[in-house]
Coordinates of all heavy atoms in Angstrom, one line a residue:
M238 N 214.4 93.1 236.4 CA 214.9 94.0 235.3 C 214.5 95.4 235.7 O 213.4 95.7 236.0 CB 214.2 93.6 234.0 CG 214.7 94.4 232.8 SD 213.9 93.9 231.3 CE 214.2 92.1 231.3
A239 N 215.5 96.3 235.5 CA 215.3 97.7 236.0 C 214.7 98.5 234.9 O 213.7 99.1 235.0 CB 216.6 98.2 236.5
F240 N 215.5 98.7 233.8 CA 215.1 99.5 232.7 C 215.0 98.8 231.4 O 215.7 97.8 231.2 CB 216.1 100.7 232.6 CG 215.9 101.7 233.6 CD1 216.5 101.6 234.9 CD2 215.0 102.8 233.4 CE1 216.2 102.5 235.9 CE2 214.8 103.7 234.4 CZ 215.4 103.6 235.7
V241 N 214.1 99.2 230.5 CA 213.9 98.5 229.2 C 213.9 99.6 228.1 O 213.4 100.6 228.3 CB 212.5 97.8 229.3 CG1 212.2 97.2 227.9 CG2 212.4 96.8 230.4
I242 N 214.5 99.2 227.0 CA 214.6 100.0 225.9 C 213.5 99.5 224.9 O 213.4 98.4 224.7 CB 216.0 100.0 225.2 CG1 217.0 100.5 226.2 CG2 215.9 100.9 223.9 CD1 218.4 100.5 225.7
T243 N 212.7 100.5 224.4 CA 211.5 100.1 223.6 C 211.6 100.5 222.1 O 212.7 101.0 221.7 CB 210.2 100.7 224.3 OG1 210.4 102.2 224.3 CG2 210.0 100.2 225.7
S244 N 210.5 100.4 221.4 CA 210.5 100.5 219.9 C 211.1 101.8 219.4 O 211.7 101.8 218.3 CB 209.1 100.3 219.4 OG 208.3 101.4 219.8
P245 N 211.0 103.0 220.0 CA 211.6 104.2 219.4 C 213.1 104.0 219.1 O 213.7 104.7 218.2 CB 211.3 105.3 220.4 CG 210.1 104.9 221.1 CD 210.2 103.4 221.2
C246 N 213.8 103.1 219.8 CA 215.2 102.9 219.6 C 215.4 102.0 218.3 O 216.5 102.1 217.8 CB 215.8 102.2 220.8 SG 217.6 101.9 220.7
S247 N 214.5 101.3 217.9 CA 214.6 100.4 216.7 C 215.2 101.2 215.5 O 214.6 102.1 215.1 CB 213.3 99.7 216.3 OG 212.9 98.8 217.3
F248 N 216.3 100.8 215.1 CA 217.0 101.3 213.9 C 217.5 102.8 214.2 O 218.1 103.4 213.3 CB 216.2 101.2 212.6 CG 215.9 99.8 212.3 CD1 214.6 99.3 212.5 CD2 216.8 99.0 211.8 CE1 214.3 98.0 212.2 CE2 216.5 97.6 211.5 CZ 215.3 97.1 211.7
E249 N 217.2 103.3 215.3 CA 217.7 104.7 215.7 C 219.1 104.6 216.2 O 220.0 105.2 215.7 CB 216.8 105.3 216.7 CG 217.3 106.6 217.3 CD 217.3 107.8 216.3 OE1 216.5 107.8 215.4 OE2 218.2 108.6 216.4
K250 N 219.2 103.8 217.3 CA 220.5 103.5 217.9 C 221.4 104.7 218.2 O 222.6 104.7 217.9 CB 221.3 102.4 217.1 CG 220.6 101.1 217.1 CD 221.3 100.0 216.4 CE 222.5 99.5 217.3 NZ 223.1 98.4 216.7
S251 N 220.8 105.7 218.8 CA 221.6 106.8 219.3 C 222.4 106.2 220.5 O 221.8 105.5 221.3 CB 220.8 108.0 219.7 OG 220.1 108.5 218.6
A252 N 223.6 106.6 220.7 CA 224.4 105.9 221.7 C 224.5 106.7 223.0 O 225.4 106.4 223.9 CB 225.8 105.6 221.2
E253 N 223.7 107.7 223.2 CA 223.9 108.6 224.4 C 223.7 107.7 225.7 O 224.4 107.9 226.6 CB 222.8 109.7 224.4 CG 223.1 110.8 223.4 CD 222.5 110.6 222.1 OE1 222.2 109.4 221.7 OE2 222.3 111.6 221.4
C254 N 222.8 106.8 225.6 CA 222.6 105.9 226.8 C 223.8 105.1 227.1 O 224.2 104.9 228.3 CB 221.4 105.0 226.6 SG 221.5 103.9 225.1
V255 N 224.5 104.6 226.1 CA 225.7 103.8 226.3 C 226.8 104.6 227.0 O 227.5 104.1 227.9 CB 226.2 103.2 225.0 CG1 227.5 102.4 225.1 CG2 225.1 102.3 224.3
E256 N 226.9 105.8 226.5 CA 228.0 106.7 227.0 C 227.8 107.1 228.5 O 228.8 107.3 229.2 CB 228.0 108.0 226.1 CG 228.4 107.7 224.7 CD 228.2 108.9 223.8 OE1 227.8 110.0 224.3 OE2 228.3 108.7 222.6
V257 N 226.6 107.2 229.0 CA 226.3 107.6 230.3 C 226.2 106.4 231.3 O 226.2 106.6 232.5 CB 225.1 108.5 230.5 CG1 225.3 109.8 229.7 CG2 223.8 107.8 230.2
C258 N 226.1 105.2 230.9 CA 225.9 104.1 231.8 C 227.1 103.8 232.6 O 228.2 103.5 232.0 CB 225.5 102.8 231.0 SG 225.2 101.4 232.1
P259 N 227.1 104.0 233.9 CA 228.3 103.8 234.7 C 228.8 102.4 234.9 O 229.9 102.1 235.3 CB 227.9 104.4 236.0 CG 226.4 104.2 236.1 CD 225.9 104.3 234.7
V260 N 227.9 101.4 234.5 CA 228.3 100.0 234.7 C 228.4 99.2 233.3 O 228.4 98.0 233.4 CB 227.4 99.3 235.7 CG1 227.6 99.9 237.1 CG2 226.0 99.4 235.3
D261 N 228.3 99.9 232.2 CA 228.3 99.3 230.9 C 227.3 98.2 230.8 O 227.6 97.0 230.3 CB 229.7 98.7 230.6 CG 230.8 99.8 230.5 OD1 230.4 100.9 230.1 OD2 231.9 99.6 231.0
A262 N 226.0 98.5 231.1 CA 225.0 97.5 231.1 C 224.2 97.5 229.8 O 223.3 96.7 229.6 CB 224.0 97.7 232.2
I263 N 224.5 98.4 228.8 CA 223.8 98.6 227.6 C 224.6 98.0 226.4 O 225.7 98.4 226.2 CB 223.4 100.0 227.4 CG1 222.6 100.6 228.6 CG2 222.6 100.2 226.1 CD1 222.3 102.0 228.5
Y264 N 223.9 97.1 225.7 CA 224.6 96.3 224.6 C 223.9 96.6 223.3 O 222.6 96.7 223.3 CB 224.5 94.8 224.9 CG 225.4 94.4 226.1 CD1 225.0 94.6 227.4 CD2 226.7 94.0 225.9 CE1 225.7 94.3 228.5 CE2 227.5 93.6 227.0 CZ 227.0 93.8 228.3 OH 227.8 93.5 229.3
S265 N 224.6 96.6 222.3 CA 224.1 96.8 220.9 C 223.6 95.5 220.3 O 224.4 94.5 220.2 CB 225.1 97.4 220.0 OG 224.6 97.7 218.8
G266 N 222.4 95.5 219.8 CA 221.8 94.4 219.1 C 221.8 94.8 217.6 O 222.3 95.9 217.2
N267 N 221.3 94.0 216.7 CA 221.2 94.3 215.3 C 220.4 95.5 215.0 O 220.7 96.3 214.2 CB 220.6 93.1 214.5 CG 221.6 92.0 214.4 OD1 222.8 92.1 214.5 ND2 221.1 90.8 214.3
E268 N 219.3 95.7 215.7 CA 218.3 96.8 215.5 C 218.3 97.8 216.5 O 217.9 98.9 216.2 CB 216.9 96.2 215.3 CG 216.8 95.2 214.2 CD 215.4 94.6 214.1 OE1 214.5 94.9 214.9 OE2 215.2 93.7 213.3
M269 N 218.7 97.5 217.7 CA 218.5 98.5 218.8 C 219.5 98.1 220.0 O 220.2 97.1 219.9 CB 217.1 98.5 219.3 CG 216.6 97.1 219.8 SD 214.8 97.2 220.2 CE 214.9 98.0 221.8
Y270 N 219.4 98.9 221.0 CA 220.2 98.6 222.2 C 219.3 97.8 223.2 O 218.1 97.9 223.2 CB 220.7 99.9 222.9 CG 221.8 100.5 222.1 CD1 221.6 101.7 221.4 CD2 223.1 100.0 222.1 CE1 222.6 102.3 220.6 CE2 224.1 100.6 221.4 CZ 223.9 101.7 220.7 OH 224.9 102.3 220.0
Y271 N 220.0 97.1 224.1 CA 219.4 96.3 225.2 C 220.1 96.6 226.5 O 221.3 96.7 226.5 CB 219.4 94.9 224.9 CG 218.6 94.5 223.6 CD1 219.3 94.5 222.4 CD2 217.3 94.2 223.6 CE1 218.6 94.2 221.2 CE2 216.6 93.9 222.5 CZ 217.2 93.9 221.3 OH 216.6 93.6 220.1
I272 N 219.4 96.5 227.6 CA 219.9 96.7 228.9 C 220.0 95.4 229.6 O 219.0 94.7 229.8 CB 219.1 97.8 229.7 CG1 219.1 99.1 229.0 CG2 219.7 97.9 231.2 CD1 218.2 100.2 229.6
D273 N 221.2 95.0 230.1 CA 221.4 93.8 230.8 C 220.8 93.9 232.2 O 221.4 94.7 233.0 CB 222.9 93.4 230.8 CG 223.1 92.0 231.4 OD1 222.3 91.5 232.3 OD2 224.1 91.4 231.0
P274 N 219.8 93.2 232.6 CA 219.2 93.4 233.9 C 220.0 92.9 235.0 O 219.8 93.3 236.2 CB 217.9 92.5 233.8 CG 218.2 91.5 232.7 CD 219.1 92.2 231.7
D275 N 221.0 92.0 234.7 CA 221.9 91.5 235.8 C 223.0 92.5 236.1 O 223.7 92.4 237.1 CB 222.5 90.2 235.4 CG 221.5 89.1 235.3 OD1 220.5 89.1 236.1 OD2 221.7 88.2 234.4
I276 N 223.3 93.5 235.2 CA 224.3 94.5 235.4 C 223.7 95.8 235.8 O 224.4 96.5 236.6 CB 225.2 94.6 234.1 CG1 225.9 93.3 233.8 CG2 226.2 95.7 234.3 CD1 226.6 93.3 232.5
C277 N 222.6 96.2 235.3 CA 222.0 97.4 235.6 C 221.8 97.7 237.1 O 221.4 96.8 237.8 CB 220.6 97.5 234.9 SG 219.7 99.0 235.2
I278 N 222.2 98.9 237.5 CA 222.1 99.2 238.9 C 221.0 100.2 239.2 O 220.9 100.8 240.3 CB 223.5 99.8 239.4 CG1 223.8 101.1 238.6 CG2 224.6 98.8 239.4 CD1 225.0 101.8 239.2
D279 N 220.0 100.3 238.3 CA 218.9 101.2 238.5 C 219.2 102.6 238.8 O 218.4 103.3 239.5 CB 218.0 100.7 239.7 CG 217.5 99.2 239.5 OD1 217.4 98.8 238.4 OD2 217.3 98.6 240.6
C280 N 220.3 103.1 238.2 CA 220.6 104.5 238.4 C 219.8 105.5 237.6 O 219.8 106.7 237.9 CB 222.1 104.7 238.2 SG 222.6 104.6 236.4
A281 N 219.2 105.0 236.5 CA 218.4 105.8 235.6 C 219.1 106.9 234.8 O 218.5 107.8 234.2 CB 217.2 106.5 236.4
A282 N 220.4 106.8 234.8 CA 221.2 107.8 234.0 C 220.9 107.7 232.5 O 220.9 108.7 231.8 CB 222.7 107.5 234.2
C283 N 220.5 106.6 232.0 CA 220.2 106.4 230.6 C 218.9 107.0 230.2 O 218.7 107.5 229.1 CB 220.2 104.9 230.2 SG 219.0 103.9 231.2
E284 N 217.9 107.0 231.0 CA 216.6 107.5 230.7 C 216.5 108.9 230.2 O 215.9 109.2 229.1 CB 215.6 107.2 231.9 CG 214.2 107.5 231.6 CD 213.3 107.2 232.8 OE1 213.8 107.1 233.9 OE2 212.1 107.0 232.5
P285 N 217.0 109.9 230.9 CA 216.9 111.3 230.5 C 217.7 111.7 229.2 O 217.4 112.6 228.6 CB 217.3 112.1 231.7 CG 218.2 111.2 232.5 CD 217.7 109.8 232.2
V286 N 218.7 110.9 228.9 CA 219.6 111.3 227.8 C 219.1 110.6 226.5 O 219.6 111.0 225.4 CB 221.1 110.9 228.0 CG1 221.6 111.7 229.2 CG2 221.3 109.4 228.1
C287 N 218.2 109.8 226.5 CA 217.7 109.1 225.3 C 216.9 110.1 224.4 O 215.9 110.6 224.8 CB 216.7 107.9 225.6 SG 216.1 107.1 224.2
P288 N 217.5 110.4 223.2 CA 216.8 111.4 222.4 C 215.5 111.0 221.8 O 214.7 111.9 221.3 CB 217.9 111.7 221.3 CG 218.6 110.4 221.2 CD 218.7 109.8 222.6
V289 N 215.2 109.7 221.8 CA 213.9 109.3 221.2 C 212.9 108.8 222.3 O 211.9 108.2 222.1 CB 214.1 108.2 220.2 CG1 214.8 108.8 219.0 CG2 214.8 107.0 220.7
Q290 N 213.3 109.0 223.6 CA 212.5 108.6 224.7 C 212.0 107.2 224.7 O 210.8 106.9 224.8 CB 211.3 109.6 224.9 CG 211.8 111.0 225.0 CD 210.6 112.0 225.0 OE1 209.6 111.8 224.4 NE2 210.8 113.2 225.6
A291 N 213.0 106.3 224.5 CA 212.7 104.9 224.4 C 212.9 104.1 225.7 O 212.6 102.9 225.7 CB 213.6 104.3 223.3
I292 N 213.5 104.7 226.7 CA 213.9 104.0 227.9 C 212.9 104.2 229.0 O 212.6 105.4 229.4 CB 215.3 104.3 228.3 CG1 216.3 104.1 227.2 CG2 215.7 103.6 229.6 CD1 217.7 104.5 227.4
Y293 N 212.5 103.1 229.6 CA 211.5 103.2 230.8 C 211.9 102.2 231.9 O 212.5 101.2 231.6 CB 210.1 102.7 230.3 CG 209.5 103.6 229.3 CD1 209.7 103.4 227.9 CD2 208.7 104.7 229.6 CE1 209.1 104.2 226.9 CE2 208.1 105.5 228.7 CZ 208.3 105.2 227.3 OH 207.7 106.0 226.4
A294 N 211.6 102.6 233.1 CA 211.6 101.6 234.2 C 210.6 100.5 233.8 O 209.6 100.8 233.2 CB 211.3 102.2 235.5
E295 N 210.9 99.2 234.1 CA 210.1 98.1 233.6 C 208.6 98.4 234.0 O 207.7 98.1 233.2 CB 210.6 96.8 234.2 CG 209.7 95.7 233.7 CD 210.2 94.3 234.1 OE1 211.3 94.2 234.8 OE2 209.6 93.3 233.8
E296 N 208.4 98.8 235.2 CA 207.0 99.0 235.6 C 206.3 100.2 234.9 O 205.1 100.3 235.0 CB 206.9 99.1 237.2 CG 207.7 100.3 237.7 CD 209.2 100.0 238.0 OE1 209.7 98.9 237.7 OE2 209.8 100.9 238.6
D297 N 207.1 101.0 234.2 CA 206.5 102.1 233.6 C 206.4 102.0 232.0 O 206.0 102.9 231.3 CB 207.3 103.4 233.9 CG 207.3 103.8 235.3 OD1 206.2 103.5 236.0 OD2 208.2 104.4 235.8
V298 N 206.8 100.8 231.5 CA 206.7 100.6 230.1 C 205.3 100.7 229.6 O 204.4 100.1 230.2 CB 207.3 99.2 229.7 CG1 207.1 98.9 228.2 CG2 208.8 99.1 230.0
P299 N 205.0 101.6 228.6 CA 203.6 101.7 228.1 C 203.0 100.4 227.7 O 203.8 99.5 227.2 CB 203.7 102.7 227.0 CG 205.0 103.4 227.2 CD 205.9 102.4 227.9
E300 N 201.8 100.2 227.8 CA 201.1 98.9 227.4 C 201.5 98.5 226.0 O 201.8 97.3 225.8 CB 199.6 99.1 227.6 CG 198.9 97.8 227.5 CD 199.2 96.8 228.6 OE1 199.4 97.2 229.8 OE2 199.3 95.6 228.3
K301 N 201.5 99.4 225.1 CA 201.8 99.0 223.7 C 203.2 98.7 223.4 O 203.6 98.1 222.4 CB 201.4 100.2 222.7 CG 202.2 101.4 222.9 CD 201.8 102.5 221.9 CE 202.7 103.7 222.1 NZ 202.5 104.7 221.1
E302 N 204.1 98.9 224.4 CA 205.5 98.5 224.3 C 205.9 97.3 225.2 O 207.1 97.0 225.3 CB 206.3 99.8 224.7 CG 206.1 101.0 223.9 CD 206.7 100.9 222.5 OE1 207.8 100.2 222.3 OE2 206.2 101.5 221.6
K303 N 205.0 96.7 225.9 CA 205.2 95.6 226.8 C 206.0 94.5 226.2 O 206.8 93.8 226.8 CB 204.0 95.1 227.4 CG 203.2 96.1 228.3 CD 203.9 96.2 229.6 CE 203.0 97.0 230.6 NZ 203.6 97.4 231.8
E304 N 205.9 94.3 224.9 CA 206.6 93.2 224.2 C 208.1 93.4 224.3 O 208.9 92.4 224.2 CB 206.2 93.0 222.8 CG 206.6 94.2 221.9 CD 206.1 94.2 220.5 OE1 206.8 93.6 219.6 OE2 205.0 94.7 220.2
Y305 N 208.6 94.6 224.5 CA 210.0 94.9 224.6 C 210.6 94.4 225.9 O 211.8 94.2 226.0 CB 210.3 96.3 224.3 CG 210.2 96.6 222.9 CD1 208.9 96.9 222.3 CD2 211.2 96.5 222.0 CE1 208.8 97.1 220.9 CE2 211.1 96.7 220.6 CZ 209.9 97.0 220.1 OH 209.8 97.2 218.8
I306 N 209.8 94.2 226.9 CA 210.3 93.6 228.1 C 210.8 92.2 227.8 O 211.9 91.8 228.2 CB 209.2 93.6 229.2 CG1 208.8 95.0 229.6 CG2 209.7 92.8 230.5 CD1 207.6 95.1 230.5
E307 N 210.0 91.4 227.1 CA 210.4 90.0 226.8 C 211.5 90.0 225.8 O 212.4 89.2 225.8 CB 209.2 89.3 226.2 CG 209.4 87.8 226.0 CD 209.7 87.1 227.3 OE1 209.1 87.5 228.4 OE2 210.5 86.1 227.3
K308 N 211.5 90.9 224.8 CA 212.6 91.0 223.8 C 213.9 91.3 224.5 O 215.0 90.7 224.2 CB 212.3 92.1 222.8 CG 211.3 91.8 221.8 CD 211.1 92.9 220.8 CE 210.1 92.5 219.7 NZ 210.0 93.4 218.6
N309 N 213.9 92.1 225.5 CA 215.1 92.4 226.3 C 215.6 91.1 227.0 O 216.8 90.8 227.0 CB 214.9 93.5 227.3 CG 216.2 94.1 227.9 OD1 216.8 94.8 227.2 ND2 216.5 93.6 229.1
R310 N 214.7 90.4 227.7 CA 215.0 89.2 228.4 C 215.6 88.2 227.4 O 216.6 87.5 227.7 CB 213.8 88.6 229.0 CG 213.4 89.3 230.3 CD 212.3 88.6 231.0 NE 211.8 89.3 232.1 CZ 210.6 89.8 232.3 NH1 209.7 89.5 231.4 NH2 210.3 90.5 233.4
D311 N 215.0 88.1 226.2 CA 215.5 87.1 225.2 C 216.9 87.4 224.7 O 217.6 86.5 224.4 CB 214.5 87.0 224.1 CG 213.2 86.4 224.4 OD1 213.1 85.8 225.5 OD2 212.2 86.5 223.6
F312 N 217.2 88.7 224.7 CA 218.5 89.1 224.2 C 219.6 88.5 225.1 O 220.7 88.2 224.6 CB 218.6 90.6 224.1 CG 219.9 91.1 223.5 CD1 220.1 91.1 222.1 CD2 220.9 91.6 224.3 CE1 221.3 91.5 221.6 CE2 222.1 92.0 223.8 CZ 222.3 92.0 222.4
F313 N 219.3 88.5 226.4 CA 220.3 88.0 227.3 C 220.1 86.6 227.7 O 220.8 85.9 228.3 CB 220.3 88.9 228.6 CG 220.8 90.3 228.2 CD1 219.9 91.3 228.1 CD2 222.1 90.6 228.0 CE1 220.3 92.6 227.7 CE2 222.5 91.9 227.6 CZ 221.6 92.9 227.5

């Protein structure tokens, strides 16, 4: 998995990340967006445009947000 969307996206759902993803790897869930790890090409285009700073490379997800790695996997 390349990038993970974390808790600041919950109920925020700004779509800037969706608009810049060149491979359409970001999907809308009920509460937030999720990045499909099988489609993501690790381009990082989504990370800097997120207005709530919710997107991290998996290895950089803060400790208190680690549960979102599993939530992303479960979504797909």
